[in-house]
Structures are given as structure tokens and as C-alpha cells.
Amino acid sequence: MPNQPNKKKSQVTPSPERRRELLDTAAEVFAAQGYNATTVRKIADEAGMLAGSLYYHFDSKESMLDEILSTFLDELWQGYDSVLAAGLGPRETIEALVTESFREIDRHRAAVAIYQKESRHLAAQPRFHYLTDSQQKFEKAWLGTLERGVREQVFRADLDIRLTYRFVRDTVWVAASWYRPGGQHSPEEIARQYLSMVLDGIAVLS
């Protein structure tokens, strides 16, 4: 009797939608508990599946974190690069960067929270070195725009550029700690309010 050919086990190929759902779940757990404190079992529990089943989709929690952060940063830079290439004035560039930042918080709130908490120590690992590259590029874009604004007399000459950058950066991105998609205000409306306070102050002009 001839040997029967070995039948390969069918591989379960996750749909893009299911993969996205699992990554969203993992991002929420990482953001709430921290990367080191999060286990694959915890992510699987939150996703309503067995821990072993999660390995059909991802080979490790590190791979999940990598995809969460790289997806967020790729989208962020698509938006930022479009703004920076648009030839806007310094004030309009700051306005557009702030608005784009809030849109990214709306799309990737948990990823932003993870980035804020974890990026410093993750960047020391070769797999996550792109976090350092992104941070340097981010700083260059914002500082360059502020410096151009002072040079073109759009912003005050007495500004401490680096202090201003840190203030605007932290004021915007800390919103990830309280912002919830679908709330009372759209990302664009929140950006408008923030920009009004940052660029024009809160005191009534006499």
C-alpha cells in the first residue's frame, strides 16, 4: 500500500480586523499595567481567549508592543510630514502640528500612553531604537518651527525656545491620560482650545 502523503496542519490566518482588535486590547493592558507587569495570559484573558491561542497571531508580547508603537509612529509621521511639507508659516505650522497630535491621541490613545511611560527604557533595546530616531526627528521639527517663528518675528524674541517646546509638547501629549474617544469634544475642538491658550494666553487683552 503506498504511503499516504503527510497532511499539513491548516494554519489559522487571522483577519486584519481580528489582529487589530487583539492589538487594541494589548495596548489597553500595556497602558494600564505597564509593559513589564503585563503577561501574555493577561492579554489573552482580556481578549477572551486562551494564552496559547494568542501565539497563533503573535510570537511574543514584545512583537505586539513593537507593532502597536510602530503603527502609531508611522501614522503620526505621515501627518507631521504632510504638515512640514505644506510650506505654512510658523504659527500655522504649530497649529497644524498640535491638531495632528490630538488626532493621533484620538486614534491611538493607549499607544501614546505606552510611549510616554515606556519609550525611555525601551529605546535602549535594538528592536526599539527607532523610538530614539523618532524623538530626535520630533524635537527637530518643533524646535525648528519655533526658531523660525522667532526669526520671522511671528513669536516673541524673548522666548526660551527649548522651554517653550517642552511646555507645548507636554501640554499636548499629557491629554492622553484623560482623553477618551467619542467624548464631548472632537480632537479638532480640543486642539483649537489648547492653541488659543498657548498662543494667545488666557487673560483678557486690554
Side-chain angles (χ1 to χ4, degrees):
M1 186 174 179
N3 293 329
Q4 294 291 327
N6 292 328
K7 292 184 178 179
K8 294 181 179 179
K9 292 183 179 179
S10 60
Q11 293 286 328
V12 177
T13 302
S15 67
E17 293 77 15
R18 180 56 173 159
R19 187 180 182 85
R20 184 74 258 163
E21 289 173 1
L22 292 174
L23 287 172
D24 288 344
T25 298
E28 292 293 341
V29 178
F30 288 143
Q33 298 193 354
Y35 174 68
N36 288 333
T38 298
T39 63
V40 171
R41 181 180 295 277
K42 177 61 178 176
I43 297 171
D45 287 346
E46 291 295 322
M49 63 195 305
L50 296 174
S53 299
L54 197 57
Y55 287 107
Y56 282 108
H57 306 276
F58 304 96
D59 60 15
S60 66
K61 72 171 188 175
E62 184 182 59
S63 293
M64 300 184 79
L65 182 64
D66 188 4
E67 191 163 340
I68 289 164
L69 291 176
S70 62
T71 298
F72 155 58
L73 289 174
D74 285 347
E75 289 193 18
L76 176 71
W77 280 108
Q78 285 176 16
Y80 271 24
D81 286 341
S82 294
V83 169
L84 296 170
L88 302 172
R91 178 176 176 128
E92 291 76 18
T93 298
I94 291 292
E95 291 172 342
L97 289 175
V98 168
T99 301
E100 189 60 39
S101 298
F102 276 107
R103 287 173 179 154
E104 289 305 315
I105 292 173
D106 182 62
R107 298 184 191 112
H108 298 287
R109 185 201 60 80
V112 173
I114 296 166
Y115 181 88
Q116 290 178 313
K117 294 176 185 176
E118 311 279 1
S119 62
R120 180 168 295 181
H121 73 265
L122 285 172
Q125 303 177 29
R127 182 168 189 168
F128 293 97
H129 188 69
Y130 62 84
L131 296 175
T132 298
D133 295 337
S134 181
Q135 176 58 35
Q136 292 172 348
K137 184 179 176 183
F138 184 94
E139 186 171 304
K140 182 179 179 181
W142 284 81
L143 288 175
T145 302
L146 290 168
E147 289 168 352
R148 182 162 62 96
V150 171
R151 190 167 59 248
E152 296 178 9
Q153 300 182 341
V154 174
F155 302 140
R156 292 187 349 233
D158 63 336
L159 284 183
D160 182 313
I161 297 298
R162 187 163 291 274
L163 184 61
T164 303
Y165 156 69
R166 289 173 175 168
F167 170 74
V168 175
R169 176 198 65 189
D170 294 347
T171 299
V172 170
W173 291 104
V174 76
S177 66
W178 55 260
Y179 180 82
R180 293 296 179 272
Q184 182 178 357
H185 300 295
S186 69
E188 292 78 11
E189 172 60 19
I190 296 174
R192 189 186 68 78
Q193 291 283 349
Y194 266 58
L195 285 163
S196 174
M197 290 183 282
V198 168
L199 295 174
D200 300 319
I202 63 173
V204 175
L205 298 177
S206 57

